[in-house]
Amino acid sequence: MSRYTVDLTGEIENKLKEYMKENKIKLRSVGIKNCIVDATNKENINIFLLELDKKFNKILYRQNMLKKLLEQLFVNMGFPVNEIVENDLVLKDFYDKNNKFIGRLD
């Protein structure tokens, strides 16, 4: 165990006192130790958040790729854009064969 002398003045001392009041700590040495432990834990949280950010970026990239592929499929299939969907013969035939389909238009 090592002993250190810490010189606290002004704003840092006020922050330490506020921290000690919030956590009901009476000794400055215990307050400083707890601050050091909290600071090291925050570094672990930052690493976790960076990894989480990378995973979100991968998900967004895949979602964007899927959107582009669906748009390309839509364009290549030649779906009618300006026609009334309820009058489409293929959809009517599909609905006649599948009466229990949830997404019916009529």
Side-chain angles (χ1 to χ4, degrees):
M1 176 184 219
S2 302
R3 292 184 182 255
Y4 298 97
T5 302
V6 179
D7 184 24
L8 301 175
T9 56
E11 185 179 340
I12 296 174
E13 187 175 6
N14 291 335
K15 287 182 180 181
L16 179 63
K17 287 180 183 177
E18 289 175 17
Y19 179 80
M20 290 171 59
K21 284 181 187 177
E22 289 175 4
N23 295 309
K24 299 177 183 176
I25 300 171
K26 295 183 180 180
L27 300 173
R28 283 187 183 176
S29 60
V30 175
I32 292 171
K33 287 179 190 176
N34 288 349
C35 285
I36 293 170
V37 169
D38 288 347
T40 56
N41 287 341
K42 285 185 180 177
E43 289 178 9
N44 292 337
I45 291 173
N46 287 338
I47 293 170
F48 172 74
L49 291 176
L50 288 174
E51 290 175 3
L52 191 63
D53 184 50
K54 289 178 184 177
K55 290 178 182 178
F56 279 137
N57 285 336
K58 286 181 182 178
I59 291 171
L60 290 173
Y61 174 78
R62 289 178 183 161
Q63 183 180 9
N64 192 21
M65 185 64 70
L66 180 63
K67 179 185 170 202
K68 288 179 181 180
L69 289 172
L70 288 173
E71 288 173 352
Q72 185 177 3
L73 174 70
F74 183 81
V75 169
N76 291 339
M77 294 295 288
F79 291 113
V81 176
N82 295 327
E83 294 184 17
I84 299 172
V85 179
E86 290 91 8
N87 296 337
D88 189 22
L89 296 175
V90 177
L91 280 178
K92 284 184 180 180
D93 185 39
F94 176 80
Y95 290 147
D96 289 339
K97 292 178 182 176
N98 303 298
N99 282 335
K100 296 179 183 176
F101 185 68
I102 297 173
R104 282 187 81 107
L105 295 174
D106 45 39

